[in-house]
Amino acid sequence: MTQTIDKILIANRGEIAVRIMRTCREMGIGTVAVYSEVDRKAAHVMMADEAVCIGPAEAALSYLNMEAIIQAARATGCGAVHPGYGFLAENADFSEQCEAHGLIFIGPSAEVIRLLGDKIAARKRLSEEGLPIIPGTLGGENTLKELEAATLSMGYPVVVKAAAGGGGKGMRTVARPAELEAALASAAGEAKAAFGNGKVYIEKYLVAPRHIEVQILADTHGTVIHLIERECSAQRRHQKIVEECPSPVVDKAMREKMGAAAVKAAKAVGYTNAGTFEFLVDAEMNFYFLEVNTRLQVEHPVTELVTGVDLVREQIRIAAGAPLALSQDEIIPRGHAVECRIYAEDPANGFMPSPGTLETLVEPSGPGVRVDSGVYEGWTVPMEYDPILSKIITFGSDRKAATQRMIQALKQTVITGIASPVPFLIELLESETFEKGEVTTDTIDQELSDWKPTLPLTEALLAYVAHDLFGQKAPSMAGPTEQPSPWTQLGAFRI
Amino acid sequence: MTQTIDKILIANRGEIAVRIMRTCREMGIGTVAVYSEVDRKAAHVMMADEAVCIGPAEAALSYLNMEAIIQAARATGCGAVHPGYGFLAENADFSEQCEAHGLIFIGPSAEVIRLLGDKIAARKRLSEEGLPIIPGTLGGENTLKELEAATLSMGYPVVVKAAAGGGGKGMRTVARPAELEAALASAAGEAKAAFGNGKVYIEKYLVAPRHIEVQILADTHGTVIHLIERECSAQRRHQKIVEECPSPVVDKAMREKMGAAAVKAAKAVGYTNAGTFEFLVDAEMNFYFLEVNTRLQVEHPVTELVTGVDLVREQIRIAAGAPLALSQDEIIPRGHAVECRIYAEDPANGFMPSPGTLETLVEPSGPGVRVDSGVYEGWTVPMEYDPILSKIITFGSDRKAATQRMIQALKQTVITGIASPVPFLIELLESETFEKGEVTTDTIDQELSDWKPTLPLTEALLAYVAHDLFGQKAPSMAGPTEQPSPWTQLGAFRI
Amino acid sequence: MDYRCKTGMIETTLSCTTRKKGFSTEIDGTPFIVSAMPVGEKQMHLFINGRSRLACVEVIEGGKRITIDGVPVEVLDADRLPDTSSAKDDMPGDVTPPMPSVVLAILVSLGDQVDKGTPLVTVSAMKMETTLTAPFDARISSINTAPGDQVMPGEILVNLEPITPEEEKTGTGG
Amino acid sequence: MDYRCKTGMIETTLSCTTRKKGFSTEIDGTPFIVSAMPVGEKQMHLFINGRSRLACVEVIEGGKRITIDGVPVEVLDADRLPDTSSAKDDMPGDVTPPMPSVVLAILVSLGDQVDKGTPLVTVSAMKMETTLTAPFDARISSINTAPGDQVMPGEILVNLEPITPEEEKTGTGG
């Protein structure tokens, strides 16, 4: 029943492609990268065993180009395709096409992706399986009038979401009925651009909720387990920026309840491979189903550090038909992990993307510090794709230790040439709100929208003068060093 | 009963000083580095909050200069001293001097260090506590004749060891009675130079044993726990080079037996803080007490990764008088960790030290990869001290995953300007002997003494030509990038 | 030795006396004794009044960029800067977009009176859609773009006329 | 274009034909098609017959040092090397110690006949003691050092006369 996977095409780029390739290599599995013309020098190309150029910069012609990707997989003799996150990761057609061409798609079946990818259908179906859902439209409303009526019955504010959504794209919060029409149009437009599907739906907007999600693993033999929850409430513009595992507010009873609900729903729809059930949690700790991400998540490392499981390894094993190596009882969380996403973006200006060249890049290291990076010093971040550069993840014996480690890791980081959220993240993690575990999905947008960095001016001025006076590099040890001679011949034998 | 430790002087240098400072910083504890004149630009100086120059390069005048170190601690207002490993870490006088000057010494009491530091006395005492010991001299023999007689009764080969030893220094294997006298003299000389004490003793040399050691933690309230074993059989010249946790050959029963023996002995001598009970294990899995290292070990990270405990944090907590945070039941090993020590040394020439300037240094990163480094690109490794540069530690769900991860991490590493064991370590870890867990303390010296690197000649030649033809750096994005303008003002408002 | 440095809008003059491997100076009345060593290619290690500090220093046009504890600061040489702020108009609205974008929608019409925060134009850059809002209460005096336009750094999309003229000289950013 | 390269004792000549962003050549009868891109400051990314490869390349005296998969290799330009091995005497014994050491003990006497592997001199360098042994069966023809001596790169401590003269021209190291 188990198939052998010898070589995998990674249909993605950046940090996630690099991360997947690392595990493949450790498993002795060959890797094929695909890249667009602007990514010839990208980190994921350098990490791969082989690489195929699949088109020009524009994603529609390269990373979203199913035909070119499948052709590359076949030409290089791959047995499987790992889609990463974003791009084609939640595209049921792509999963189907892969299987049709004899390629194992490392993810759930096309049917499951299709069902759960339509957020409207998923809400409907999973509420039937007992998952609590937020009041909202279920797809029957067709005219603006009907939608307006629905919003009025659920009460403002509401949120417009893309049915094919993910990553905060195609999402608009609407405070007043008068703004609904524009929000619907704008969300639909962004959704169409991002996912090729402009269908949207409306939910009641929960005020200051927490975003808590449950990681699951499901094999092809009907076994489903959960790997406890992650909290991802620190968001800007509906996009996660800091994640942690476990959640600072979930106790054992709630963990088991949420986990069991996710496992039950996953079994009901025949879910296979890794997936995430996302929930919003209100102030009274009621949880409401949000959506299922039918793929690896950006924030999967925090779960890996706390459970000891390599999720990519498990994804590959499951795809090959192997039964889960671990039972639910063996998932014993230990310690605490925090992840910060490092984007090319400017937190002092609404987190605007900031493409450009990484003039200096110093990444942190040391005990309990993991960096999943997709860039290097000198790399020019292309404008065409999601501007994620890397992720810093820290582990500690408890939440405080992990947070302190993260603060130190961020302070060790140097990113110049482009703006980065590092200074913002340091202040966020040092804040009392974060320390107390009180960050909600509204915190950054509402309380920190005017954030400006506190600059270390005095020290910078002193460093400026110091560099002027003493910054001349000492002449480097001129010339190459001699090859060391054999030790056993230190005593120079002459014949 | 608990004291507050606000600031710690780290009486060491290199990777271990940096590693200790990281934990201090995470705990909100101030750090003071000490450095010799050649170490002004050393990594540990840059990592510290404050730093004090304590003397010239020669260790006896700086890192072994108790008076200068205690003076520095007092001048900077430190409450405690962490000795790291090596230098003064196992010096009972130093522990005593610290306490006499009102400084907490982060380690066991002077009495315990003194007892266990004399390997002859320790063997005698701990064998009375039930620890099995290797046949050997117990200190009564005074003349060469008496020693010769003792060796003949235990049978050759024998090994001469320094009573004040550690780290393989002052150690000589003797195959024939005729070599005994020279070995005694040579070992005594090296021991005197290294530890200021030329006392030696003799043990029967076990053929191809394994080196397995048990990590313990003991608080000042009488509680002692063990953090399972580490295997450190991969040694060259009696010095460890690869360590792992857990041992590939220790089962649960033996783990409990060794752990219980170490805990019992530690309790009997009134041990406090972190320590390691070292054992040799013969082919029949009998274990014999070797010595106690009354300090943090180089290889402590493998235990940290498998148990989730930050040993430096626990050392500091114990020194402050806090009871152990974890009970024996809560030490649940998970997964597997491997450490490779990266020294400035040449494995193709008897692992001869290779000081010089690090012309290029690329350290590995990624999931499950930890680097504890004390150097940076451009740093000139001084000749005066132990040539350790850094340690690479990998974690995996099992031994195979951890080993594979290590092989990939080593392959990502670039160290030039000085020789490093990286090419050797790759081949060692890829060997069938290592894969099967069959490395003994003799393996490297006996089977790999003629090792030469397998050079990637073809690829290097092609890279040479490629660099010649295409290596011209693309002109860098000339000039600094403009500061990004506020996003909300993309639409350029004019008044 | 005197250094006249500019960080953002702030100009600071430091009178420095060099010492062995260092210098002393004063900032806002606080005395500083600094010793310094270059480390590697881009880093300086400092002792500032005895405190150890690592700074990443890059030479940029007109000065240096210094990163300390993860936070970059541009310190410019005020003596090398143009006399007045001629390079940029200091008006809050008069700035240059940092990257090429595509205009998706114009949400206002010529002559509209808008409150601070009213959405004006929706653009897309780097796969992300963002709505530009009015930085103050204003009247739309001209619209210079249309949906589908590729807009480049420097282009002005909408001109605003403030409604409360007393605000004219205040504000250093929205 | 021809390249004559030296790696250790091996000399290789590569006849290369340049192509778009790459070249083709042959080594020991195996054809290679290579495309190449410089990356960052010291790295080259290659496709060698379609296989992705990252190499760290440093320019050193007389050639380049290339690190691939953790293993550094020095590739020298044979055309720029001195005609014969004049810089170094190729004799296995006639080499230079790479670092200053202190002689601890001389374990042989003038005229002694020693077997291969016999300990000759004990020295200490970088806090570590090591015994130098005879690389072949030999007779001690002179001793040029004494315990306590600081010995420097280039100094010859002990001269050996081989006992089996037929070994004279063989061996490329102990």
Side-chain angles (χ1 to χ4, degrees):
Chain A
M1 182 118 192
T2 308
Q3 293 171 265
T4 302
I5 298 179
D6 291 326
K7 200 192 264 194
I8 297 177
L9 181 140
I10 292 89
N12 216 300
R13 64 183 299 282
E15 67 86 17
I16 195 63
V18 172
R19 189 259 167 276
I20 294 164
M21 287 176 199
R22 286 189 197 274
T23 286
C24 290
R25 205 165 259 197
E26 289 159 14
M27 295 174 78
I29 295 171
T31 55
V32 177
V34 290
Y35 62 97
S36 75
E37 284 161 11
V38 291
D39 271 349
R40 168 65 182 88
K41 293 164 84 166
H44 74 288
V45 174
M46 296 192 280
M47 187 73 192
D49 295 326
E50 297 167 71
V52 180
C53 183
I54 47 164
E58 201 184 322
L61 303 175
S62 50
Y63 297 107
L64 293 170
N65 183 344
M66 297 187 209
E67 203 182 321
I69 292 170
I70 289 169
Q71 166 57 23
R74 289 167 58 86
T76 51
C78 287
V81 173
H82 195 306
Y85 57 70
F87 294 127
L88 298 169
E90 295 184 89
N91 188 311
D93 295 342
F94 183 59
S95 166
E96 215 158 55
Q97 287 289 309
C98 285
E99 302 285 344
H101 286 87
L103 298 163
I104 299 172
F105 176 83
I106 300 175
S109 68
E111 294 66 42
V112 169
I113 298 175
R114 198 161 279 136
L115 166 68
L116 299 174
D118 181 341
K119 309 297 173 194
I120 302 174
R123 267 164 61 80
K124 220 168 153 178
R125 175 68 201 281
L126 295 182
S127 73
E128 290 159 18
E129 296 299 336
L131 285 188
I133 61 167
I134 301 168
T137 60
L138 285 169
E141 309 77 0
N142 289 312
T143 66
L144 178 63
K145 245 203 169 84
E146 283 171 341
L147 287 165
E148 271 175 352
T151 59
L152 288 172
S153 80
M154 60 185 95
Y156 276 81
V158 299
V159 59
V160 178
K161 293 183 175 180
K169 277 168 190 156
M171 202 162 162
R172 293 289 178 281
T173 309
V174 188
R176 289 177 292 247
E179 294 167 13
L180 183 64
E181 186 175 3
L184 286 167
S186 164
E190 190 171 307
K192 182 137 185 70
F195 314 109
N197 176 349
K199 207 158 112 188
V200 297
Y201 66 105
I202 306 174
E203 272 179 4
K204 176 158 178 56
Y205 184 78
L206 292 186
V207 176
R210 289 169 176 273
H211 177 114
I212 298 177
E213 60 190 28
V214 175
Q215 174 72 50
I216 63 150
L217 283 175
D219 67 19
T220 53
H221 308 273
T223 307
V224 185
I225 63 171
H226 72 87
L227 287 88
I228 84 162
E229 81 285 354
R230 293 182 286 257
E231 169 140 6
C232 316
S233 298
Q235 304 188 352
R236 75 279 186 261
R237 274 193 328 244
H238 311 298
Q239 285 194 308
K240 301 162 189 168
I241 183 163
V242 179
E243 298 102 342
E244 54 187 310
C245 176
S247 160
V249 294
V250 171
D251 61 14
K252 198 154 182 283
M254 186 172 171
R255 176 166 304 135
E256 279 168 15
K257 202 170 152 196
M258 289 179 86
V263 166
K264 178 169 179 277
K267 278 186 178 163
V269 298
Y271 198 93
T272 53
N273 217 291
T276 299
F277 281 70
E278 297 194 325
F279 299 95
L280 287 185
V281 177
D282 67 19
E284 288 74 39
M285 298 301 284
N286 300 305
F287 62 91
Y288 301 96
F289 170 69
L290 204 55
E291 62 184 51
V292 182
N293 287 151
T294 57
R295 52 162 169 90
L296 195 64
Q297 301 269 84
V298 179
E299 59 270 25
H300 75 278
V302 291
T303 300
E304 294 187 325
L305 292 178
V306 169
T307 63
V309 175
D310 179 334
L311 285 168
V312 173
R313 186 178 281 258
E314 293 310 313
Q315 284 195 295
I316 295 169
R317 290 186 67 257
I318 290 168
L324 281 175
L326 292 157
S327 67
Q328 188 67 59
D329 292 349
E330 291 170 291
I331 302 300
I332 302 164
R334 183 169 78 193
H336 199 97
V338 177
E339 171 179 285
C340 284
R341 301 187 184 190
I342 311 298
Y343 282 89
E345 65 179 20
D346 187 355
N349 290 300
F351 295 93
M352 176 181 77
S354 164
T357 298
L358 277 163
E359 291 176 15
T360 297
L361 175 66
V362 178
E363 293 181 330
S365 66
V369 178
R370 165 174 167 181
V371 179
D372 280 18
S373 177
V375 297
Y376 54 87
E377 189 169 292
W379 169 243
T380 299
V381 182
M383 313 201 315
E384 285 82 2
Y385 316 112
D386 196 58
I388 194 164
L389 304 175
S390 66
K391 302 176 311 206
I392 302 174
I393 312 105
T394 58
F395 175 84
S397 47
D398 56 28
R399 185 170 190 267
K400 191 176 171 189
T403 304
Q404 292 276 32
R405 206 161 252 185
M406 178 60 81
I407 291 166
Q408 295 309 322
L410 290 166
K411 287 185 175 178
Q412 278 174 49
T413 303
V414 181
I415 297 177
T416 67
I418 59 176
S420 92
V422 169
F424 172 83
L425 290 165
I426 293 169
E427 289 190 33
L428 178 66
L429 267 75
E430 285 180 335
S431 71
E432 210 184 306
T433 310
F434 189 88
E435 194 190 329
K436 290 187 174 167
E438 292 175 353
V439 172
T440 70
T441 59
D442 291 349
T443 302
I444 294 177
D445 288 343
Q446 291 184 4
E447 294 170 29
L448 296 166
S449 61
D450 288 338
W451 179 87
K452 299 286 168 204
T454 306
L455 300 177
L457 286 186
T458 300
E459 292 175 323
L461 288 168
L462 296 172
Y464 178 98
V465 174
H467 186 261
D468 204 78
L469 293 172
F470 304 99
Q472 304 318 319
K473 243 186 101 182
S476 72
M477 304 295 281
T481 49
E482 287 282 314
Q483 275 285 73
S485 308
W487 179 229
T488 48
Q489 300 182 345
L490 173 60
F493 305 100
R494 177 172 290 162
I495 303 179
Chain B
M1 181 116 192
T2 308
Q3 292 172 267
T4 302
I5 298 179
D6 291 326
K7 199 192 267 194
I8 297 176
L9 180 139
I10 292 88
N12 216 301
R13 63 184 298 283
E15 67 87 17
I16 196 63
V18 172
R19 188 260 169 274
I20 294 164
M21 288 176 198
R22 286 190 198 274
T23 286
C24 290
R25 206 165 259 194
E26 289 159 14
M27 294 174 79
I29 295 171
T31 55
V32 177
V34 290
Y35 62 97
S36 76
E37 284 161 10
V38 292
D39 271 348
R40 169 65 183 86
K41 292 163 85 165
H44 74 287
V45 174
M46 295 192 280
M47 187 72 192
D49 295 327
E50 297 167 72
V52 180
C53 183
I54 47 165
E58 201 184 322
L61 304 175
S62 50
Y63 297 107
L64 292 170
N65 182 344
M66 297 186 208
E67 203 180 322
I69 292 169
I70 288 169
Q71 168 56 24
R74 288 166 58 86
T76 52
C78 287
V81 173
H82 195 306
Y85 57 69
F87 294 126
L88 297 169
E90 295 184 90
N91 187 311
D93 295 342
F94 183 59
S95 167
E96 215 158 56
Q97 286 289 310
C98 284
E99 302 286 345
H101 286 88
L103 297 163
I104 298 172
F105 176 83
I106 300 175
S109 68
E111 294 67 41
V112 168
I113 298 175
R114 197 160 281 135
L115 166 67
L116 299 176
D118 181 342
K119 307 299 171 195
I120 301 174
R123 267 165 60 81
K124 220 168 151 176
R125 176 67 201 282
L126 295 182
S127 72
E128 290 160 18
E129 296 299 335
L131 284 189
I133 61 167
I134 301 169
T137 62
L138 285 168
E141 308 76 1
N142 290 313
T143 66
L144 179 62
K145 245 200 169 86
E146 285 171 340
L147 287 166
E148 272 175 351
T151 58
L152 288 172
S153 80
M154 62 185 92
Y156 275 80
V158 300
V159 58
V160 178
K161 294 183 175 180
K169 277 167 190 155
M171 202 162 162
R172 293 288 179 282
T173 308
V174 187
R176 290 177 289 250
E179 294 168 13
L180 183 63
E181 185 176 3
L184 287 166
S186 165
E190 189 172 308
K192 182 136 184 76
F195 315 111
N197 176 349
K199 208 159 112 187
V200 297
Y201 65 105
I202 306 175
E203 271 179 5
K204 175 157 179 55
Y205 184 77
L206 292 186
V207 176
R210 289 168 176 274
H211 176 113
I212 299 177
E213 60 190 29
V214 175
Q215 173 72 51
I216 64 150
L217 283 175
D219 67 19
T220 53
H221 308 274
T223 306
V224 184
I225 62 170
H226 72 88
L227 287 86
I228 83 162
E229 81 287 353
R230 294 183 284 258
E231 169 140 8
C232 319
S233 298
Q235 304 188 354
R236 77 278 184 259
R237 274 194 327 246
H238 310 297
Q239 285 194 308
K240 301 163 190 167
I241 183 163
V242 179
E243 297 102 343
E244 53 186 312
C245 177
S247 160
V249 294
V250 171
D251 60 15
K252 199 154 183 281
M254 186 172 172
R255 176 167 303 135
E256 278 169 16
K257 201 171 153 197
M258 291 180 84
V263 166
K264 177 168 178 275
K267 277 185 178 163
V269 298
Y271 198 94
T272 53
N273 218 293
T276 298
F277 281 70
E278 297 193 325
F279 298 95
L280 286 186
V281 177
D282 67 17
E284 288 75 39
M285 299 302 284
N286 299 306
F287 62 91
Y288 301 96
F289 171 68
L290 203 56
E291 60 183 54
V292 182
N293 288 149
T294 58
R295 51 162 169 89
L296 195 63
Q297 301 270 86
V298 180
E299 59 270 25
H300 74 278
V302 291
T303 300
E304 295 188 324
L305 292 178
V306 169
T307 63
V309 174
D310 180 333
L311 285 168
V312 173
R313 186 178 282 257
E314 293 310 312
Q315 284 195 296
I316 296 169
R317 291 187 66 256
I318 290 168
L324 281 176
L326 291 157
S327 67
Q328 188 66 59
D329 293 348
E330 291 170 289
I331 303 300
I332 301 165
R334 184 170 77 194
H336 200 96
V338 177
E339 172 179 285
C340 285
R341 300 187 185 191
I342 311 298
Y343 282 90
E345 67 180 18
D346 188 355
N349 291 300
F351 295 94
M352 175 181 77
S354 164
T357 299
L358 277 164
E359 291 175 15
T360 298
L361 175 65
V362 178
E363 294 182 329
S365 66
V369 178
R370 165 174 166 181
V371 179
D372 280 19
S373 177
V375 297
Y376 54 86
E377 189 169 293
W379 168 244
T380 299
V381 182
M383 312 201 315
E384 286 81 1
Y385 316 113
D386 195 57
I388 195 165
L389 304 175
S390 66
K391 302 176 310 205
I392 302 175
I393 312 104
T394 57
F395 175 83
S397 47
D398 56 28
R399 186 170 189 266
K400 191 175 172 190
T403 304
Q404 292 276 32
R405 207 162 251 185
M406 178 60 81
I407 292 167
Q408 295 309 321
L410 290 166
K411 288 185 174 178
Q412 278 175 49
T413 303
V414 181
I415 297 177
T416 67
I418 59 177
S420 93
V422 169
F424 173 83
L425 290 164
I426 293 169
E427 290 190 32
L428 178 66
L429 268 76
E430 285 179 337
S431 72
E432 210 183 307
T433 310
F434 189 89
E435 194 189 330
K436 290 187 174 167
E438 291 175 351
V439 172
T440 71
T441 60
D442 292 347
T443 303
I444 294 176
D445 289 343
Q446 291 184 4
E447 293 169 31
L448 295 166
S449 61
D450 288 337
W451 179 87
K452 299 284 168 205
T454 306
L455 301 177
L457 287 186
T458 300
E459 292 175 323
L461 288 169
L462 296 172
Y464 178 99
V465 174
H467 186 261
D468 204 78
L469 293 172
F470 305 99
Q472 306 314 322
K473 243 185 103 181
S476 72
M477 303 296 280
T481 49
E482 289 280 316
Q483 275 285 74
S485 309
W487 178 230
T488 48
Q489 299 181 347
L490 174 60
F493 305 101
R494 177 170 289 160
I495 303 177
Chain C
M1 203 173 302
D2 274 17
Y3 289 88
R4 217 156 58 83
C5 297
K6 215 169 164 194
T7 45
M9 291 294 110
I10 306 161
E11 200 176 297
T12 312
T13 300
L14 292 94
S15 296
C16 301
T17 313
T18 56
R19 307 153 50 98
K20 193 191 161 213
K21 291 180 190 170
F23 64 93
S24 57
T25 188
E26 215 180 277
I27 299 176
D28 294 337
T30 308
F32 290 99
I33 295 175
V34 179
S35 77
M37 276 268 215
V39 170
E41 223 181 313
K42 292 178 178 174
Q43 296 195 298
M44 289 292 297
H45 182 254
L46 312 175
F47 286 113
I48 301 176
N49 290 349
R51 303 291 294 180
S52 169
R53 270 276 168 249
L54 192 61
C56 176
V57 183
E58 296 161 280
V59 176
I60 58 171
E61 205 185 315
K64 296 168 192 185
R65 182 166 46 215
I66 319 263
T67 305
I68 294 173
D69 275 353
V71 184
V73 184
E74 295 200 352
V75 182
L76 303 180
D77 180 348
D79 296 326
R80 284 198 284 155
L81 288 178
D83 247 356
T84 49
S85 51
S86 62
K88 286 185 186 179
D89 188 325
D90 269 336
M91 287 315 199
D94 202 82
V95 292
T96 292
M99 78 184 87
S101 308
V102 175
V103 174
L104 296 180
I106 313 289
L107 309 169
V108 288
S109 305
L110 192 66
D112 279 5
Q113 238 176 263
V114 295
D115 295 341
K116 178 178 169 179
T118 303
L120 304 177
V121 180
T122 311
V123 298
S124 166
M126 258 189 130
K127 302 278 119 187
M128 214 178 51
E129 193 178 308
T130 298
T131 298
L132 310 176
T133 57
F136 39 74
D137 296 351
R139 185 174 293 111
I140 309 296
S141 59
S142 77
I143 293 173
N144 316 317
T145 189
D149 280 6
Q150 295 264 6
V151 292
M152 297 300 292
E155 278 182 55
I156 292 156
L157 306 187
V158 175
N159 288 34
L160 296 182
E161 204 171 283
I163 289 176
T164 44
E166 62 271 24
E167 279 183 330
E168 201 181 289
K169 273 292 176 196
T170 64
T172 51
Chain D
M1 202 172 302
D2 275 17
Y3 289 88
R4 216 154 59 83
C5 297
K6 215 170 164 194
T7 45
M9 292 294 111
I10 305 162
E11 200 177 296
T12 312
T13 301
L14 293 92
S15 295
C16 302
T17 312
T18 56
R19 307 153 49 96
K20 193 190 162 214
K21 289 180 189 171
F23 63 94
S24 57
T25 188
E26 215 181 278
I27 299 176
D28 294 337
T30 308
F32 291 98
I33 296 175
V34 179
S35 78
M37 277 269 216
V39 169
E41 223 181 311
K42 293 178 179 175
Q43 297 194 298
M44 289 292 298
H45 182 255
L46 313 176
F47 286 114
I48 301 176
N49 290 350
R51 304 292 293 181
S52 168
R53 271 278 170 244
L54 193 61
C56 177
V57 183
E58 297 162 281
V59 176
I60 58 170
E61 204 185 316
K64 295 169 192 186
R65 183 165 45 214
I66 318 264
T67 305
I68 293 174
D69 274 354
V71 184
V73 183
E74 295 201 352
V75 181
L76 302 180
D77 181 347
D79 295 326
R80 283 197 286 153
L81 287 179
D83 248 356
T84 49
S85 50
S86 61
K88 284 184 186 179
D89 188 326
D90 271 333
M91 288 316 201
D94 203 83
V95 292
T96 292
M99 79 185 84
S101 308
V102 176
V103 174
L104 297 180
I106 313 288
L107 308 170
V108 288
S109 305
L110 191 66
D112 279 6
Q113 238 177 265
V114 294
D115 295 342
K116 179 177 170 181
T118 304
L120 304 178
V121 181
T122 311
V123 298
S124 166
M126 256 188 132
K127 301 277 121 189
M128 213 179 53
E129 193 179 308
T130 296
T131 299
L132 310 177
T133 57
F136 38 76
D137 296 350
R139 184 174 293 111
I140 310 295
S141 58
S142 76
I143 294 174
N144 316 317
T145 190
D149 280 4
Q150 294 263 6
V151 291
M152 297 298 292
E155 278 181 55
I156 291 155
L157 307 187
V158 174
N159 288 35
L160 296 183
E161 205 173 281
I163 289 177
T164 43
E166 62 271 24
E167 279 185 328
E168 201 179 292
K169 274 292 177 194
T170 65
T172 51

